[in-house]
């Protein structure tokens, strides 16, 4: 069964691993490779895998901020993010990602011979390559350094597998590829995706891979590699694909914000209670009746308290919260309950805390869609790329576009280094609770300076990289573990 074959992708695991990868849709590989219904089912299974709480369902959105200086646990709490806060445990998506990659590989192979329209073939082909690029990008940034940012020359990244593994007989033991090779493959997949996908023309189209999302991911991938012109070009392309227009350099005024792709100040808070978010290029959709992660694992439960049973485990650090200016609408994304919340756990939380309403259970009890690419991020990518290219005027236009629409003060600056620092701060303000901060520091080779409540982490510390699962290293002697583990 194809449902069992995803485990064979775990760089060549034992049979025990195969039993842990059952998706919701289970079809034989023969059907998946010839029948369009099977191809669609396997593709849907890939989206399902991204939704689990150990991937984008919770940890990929919260842990990178907890591992850095944006978020922290409350005390007392459920202790589920203690290891992330102490940087004694990294993200662990290896098994889920490779199971999904194997399914993507089946889709990429199967769609070429499936009986359907050329338009659907192109759409599915594009979605599959987009998803494989996203999966490999996540593996690359969690388990390896970015090209040019290696510590002591360590350049190993993910294990590249680009064809489906239909049985254990098809599996083989492979070494980890270099970070350059993995990023090259990611860019290749995105090139195919952009060529085959179309602009999202309906609300539902934002819940699947689309051309604007692929261009946005290419922009983010380029940013991580320091390919500034490519990052800038693809950010512009993604905005153009969505039909948004900006002034030269991306400048936005109070009257032009509606055509810029940025949500207005008046609608900012409500945008996160809308599905899809008006700024979304791609978001994971959750069906409340069948896909809610519930009171224990959902983003709503982990970050808020205004629903009975919510934990409110994860809150902004005082440092982050104090960065918001008084007139900044993004400060309205936080609230302070009049009394310590009841519910789970029964022990009262700390007093004086503020909680986030970025995930407000819009889709039903404990259920929110998760925006993975927003236009605000594209403006921040444009600003950073422009600054690095010494287009400082344009960089400030893009940076101030976000600040103008948010009600924050305009930044006036002429020093390149200072402008880049302010862009990184703006990323903290805009993208909090969206899983960027740890990776922003990592891709720039910066230390993680934590003020509350745990010590800092130098970039050279081995814990900047997550550990390859021990069973993978044991079962496949060709896989080298990351240093320090």
């Amino acid at each position: 069964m194809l449902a069992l074959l995803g485990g064979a992708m775990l760089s060549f695991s034992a049979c025990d691993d195969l039993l842990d990868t059952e998706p919701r849709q289970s079809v034989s590989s023969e059907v998946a490779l010839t029948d369009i219904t099977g191809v669609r089912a396997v593709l849907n299974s890939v989206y399902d895998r991204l939704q689990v709480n150990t991937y984008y369902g919770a940890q990929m959105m919260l842990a990178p901020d907890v591992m850095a200086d944006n978020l922290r646990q409350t005390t007392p709490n459920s202790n589920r993010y203690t290891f992330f806060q102490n940087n004694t445990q990294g993200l662990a998506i290896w098994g889920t990602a490779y199971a999904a990659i194997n399914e993507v590989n089946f889709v990429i192979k199967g769609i070429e011979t499936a009986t359907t329209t050329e338009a659907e073939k192109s759409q599915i082909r594009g979605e599959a390559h987009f998803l494989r690029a996203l999966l490999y990008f996540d593996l690359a940034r969690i388990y390896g350094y970015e090209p040019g940012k290696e510590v002591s020359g360590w350049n190993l990244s993910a294990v590249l597998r680009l064809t489906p593994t239909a049985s254990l007989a098809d599996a083989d033991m492979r070494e980890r590829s270099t970070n350059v090779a993995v990023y090259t493959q990611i860019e290749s997949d995105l090139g195919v995706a952009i060529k085959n996908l179309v602009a999202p023309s309906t609300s539902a189209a934002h819940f699947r891979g689309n051309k604007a999302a692929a261009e946005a991911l290419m922009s983010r991938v380029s940013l991580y590699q320091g390919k500034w012109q490519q990052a800038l070009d693809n950010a512009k392309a993604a905005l153009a694909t969505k039909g948004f227009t900006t002034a030269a350099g991306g400048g936005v005024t109070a009257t032009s914000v509606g055509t810029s792709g940025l949500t207005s100040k008046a609608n900012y808070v409500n945008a996160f209670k809308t599905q899809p978010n008006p700024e979304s290029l791609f978001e994971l959709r959750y069906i409340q009746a069948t896909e809610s992660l519930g009171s224990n694992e959902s983003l709503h439960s982990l970050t808020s308290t205004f629903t009975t049973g919510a934990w409110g485990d994860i809150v902004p650090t005082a440092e982050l919260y104090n960065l918001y200016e008084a007139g900044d609408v993004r400060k309205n994304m936080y609230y302070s309950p009049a009394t310590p919340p009841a519910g789970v756990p029964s022990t009262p939380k700390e007093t004086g805390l503020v909680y986030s309403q970025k995930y407000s259970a819009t889709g039903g009890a404990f259920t929110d869609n998760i925006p993975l690419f927003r236009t605000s991020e594209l403006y921040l990518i444009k600003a950073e790329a422009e600054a690095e290219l010494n287009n400082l005027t344009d960089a400030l236009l893009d940076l101030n576009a976000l600040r103008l629409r948010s009600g924050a003060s305009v930044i006036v600056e002429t020093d390149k280094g200072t402008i880049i620092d302010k862009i990184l701060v703006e990323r903290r303000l805009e993208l909090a609770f969206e899983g960027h901060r740890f990776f922003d520091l990592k891709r720039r080779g910066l230390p993680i300076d934590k003020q509350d409540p745990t010590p800092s982490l130098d970039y050279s510390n081995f814990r900047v990289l997550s550990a390859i699962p021990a069973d993978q290293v044991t079962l496949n002697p060709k896989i080298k573990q990351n240093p320090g583990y």
Side-chain angles (χ1 to χ4, degrees):
M1 300 294 289
L2 180 59
L4 301 180
L5 301 179
M9 283 293 298
L10 311 190
S11 5
F12 185 69
S13 298
C15 292
D16 289 344
D17 292 316
L18 302 182
L19 302 178
D20 295 330
T21 59
E22 183 80 13
R24 297 173 192 175
Q25 293 86 3
S26 179
V27 295
S28 71
S29 57
E30 290 79 8
V31 171
L33 291 174
T34 58
D35 182 77
I36 187 59
T37 301
V39 172
R40 293 170 184 152
V42 177
L43 183 63
N44 287 338
S45 179
V46 178
Y47 287 99
D48 288 342
R49 292 187 187 277
L50 295 176
Q51 292 179 313
V52 299
N53 74 297
T54 51
Y55 208 155
Y56 281 113
Q59 286 187 14
M60 277 293 285
M61 305 303 286
L62 300 181
D65 276 17
V66 175
M67 292 161 66
D69 50 5
N70 264 8
L71 309 181
R72 68 174 182 89
Q73 287 191 125
T74 58
T75 57
N77 56 80
S78 66
N79 295 315
R80 70 188 77 199
Y81 278 72
T82 299
F83 293 132
F84 295 126
Q85 183 161 281
N86 295 336
N87 294 101
T88 54
Q89 174 181 310
L91 290 157
I93 68 163
W94 187 276
T96 301
Y98 276 110
I101 287 169
N102 197 38
E103 290 177 336
V104 169
N105 290 340
F106 270 103
V107 171
I108 290 173
K109 182 177 180 179
I111 193 58
E112 300 307 324
T113 55
T115 302
T116 186
T117 65
E118 288 303 314
E120 184 174 23
K121 281 189 175 183
S122 184
Q123 175 66 27
I124 290 178
R125 186 185 301 117
E127 285 186 55
H129 282 275
F130 166 73
L131 290 169
R132 190 166 70 180
L134 178 62
L135 289 158
Y136 269 119
F137 174 61
D138 288 339
L139 287 166
R141 60 184 178 148
I142 290 172
Y143 297 103
Y145 295 110
E146 279 64 57
K149 295 295 183 181
E150 298 87 354
V151 173
S152 300
W154 187 260
N155 67 348
L156 296 185
S157 184
V159 176
L160 283 177
R161 290 186 179 275
L162 307 177
T163 57
T165 301
S167 68
L168 288 178
D170 296 334
D172 60 355
M173 295 185 181
R174 296 187 185 182
E175 298 177 347
R176 297 171 65 183
S177 296
T178 67
N179 51 7
V180 171
V182 173
Y183 271 97
T184 298
Q185 179 58 47
I186 293 167
E187 291 181 339
S188 175
D189 274 333
L190 288 174
V192 175
I194 291 168
K195 180 179 179 181
N196 281 271
L197 293 170
V198 298
S201 57
T202 65
S203 293
H206 294 82
F207 303 142
R208 306 191 73 89
N210 60 76
K211 184 177 181 180
E215 290 166 335
L217 178 53
M218 182 74 92
S219 181
R220 188 189 291 179
V221 167
S222 301
L223 186 80
Y224 272 59
Q225 298 177 86
K227 294 183 176 180
W228 308 118
Q229 190 62 55
Q230 185 169 296
L232 177 60
D233 291 344
N234 279 281
K236 289 180 177 179
L239 287 168
T241 296
K242 281 281 290 179
F244 298 131
T245 59
T246 59
V252 175
T253 66
T255 57
S256 69
V257 69
T259 58
S260 68
L262 297 176
T263 304
S264 68
K265 179 180 179 180
N267 293 328
Y268 188 83
V269 174
N270 191 58
F272 286 92
K273 301 176 182 180
T274 306
Q275 298 181 338
N277 186 309
E279 286 195 3
S280 282
L281 287 81
F282 170 64
E283 63 183 58
L284 287 177
R285 184 184 186 187
Y286 284 76
I287 305 301
Q288 201 278 330
T290 57
E291 297 176 334
S292 173
L293 298 180
S295 61
N296 283 331
E297 302 294 349
S298 69
L299 284 166
H300 173 70
S301 174
L302 292 169
T303 60
S304 68
T305 61
F306 54 80
T307 299
T308 301
W311 290 77
D313 270 359
I314 307 301
V315 297
T317 61
E319 178 191 1
L320 172 64
Y321 185 69
N322 290 333
L323 287 173
Y324 293 97
E325 296 179 0
D328 193 330
V329 69
R330 293 170 298 192
K331 199 166 190 174
N332 297 342
M333 295 297 295
Y334 302 96
Y335 70 96
S336 180
T339 58
V344 181
S346 58
T347 306
K349 300 278 198 302
E350 304 169 57
T351 59
L353 292 176
V354 293
Y355 299 89
S356 172
Q357 54 176 326
K358 187 163 274 190
Y359 305 105
S360 55
T362 298
F366 303 107
T367 304
D368 294 277
N369 287 354
I370 302 174
L372 296 189
F373 296 94
R374 294 196 294 120
T375 50
S376 285
E377 183 193 355
L378 295 176
Y379 276 82
L380 289 162
I381 291 175
K382 286 175 79 234
E384 189 173 344
E386 286 160 342
E388 290 287 359
L389 292 168
N390 294 308
N391 301 325
L392 302 185
T393 299
D394 287 350
L396 284 174
L397 283 171
D398 276 324
L399 173 59
N400 285 321
L402 293 182
R403 298 184 65 79
L404 277 168
R405 73 82 187 269
S406 301
S409 61
V410 171
I411 292 173
V412 179
E413 184 57 61
T414 58
D415 179 71
K416 175 179 176 177
T418 303
I419 291 173
I420 292 173
D421 289 342
K422 290 185 179 297
I423 291 167
L424 292 176
V425 170
E426 197 69 19
R427 288 181 67 89
R428 296 184 68 179
L429 298 172
E430 181 63 37
L431 303 176
F433 291 85
E434 296 181 49
H436 290 270
R437 180 59 175 167
F438 178 85
F439 296 115
D440 281 343
L441 294 170
K442 173 178 173 284
R443 66 182 171 81
R444 295 198 71 96
L446 296 173
I448 300 169
D449 292 325
K450 296 188 176 185
Q451 294 186 17
D452 70 269
T454 51
S456 301
L457 191 72
D458 290 335
Y459 178 70
S460 60
N461 190 295
F462 73 94
R463 295 194 185 279
V464 167
L465 300 185
S466 293
I468 306 296
D471 60 346
Q472 299 302 303
V473 178
T474 300
L475 291 164
N476 182 0
K478 288 189 176 183
I479 290 184
K480 294 181 180 180
Q481 181 61 277
N482 280 330
Y485 292 101

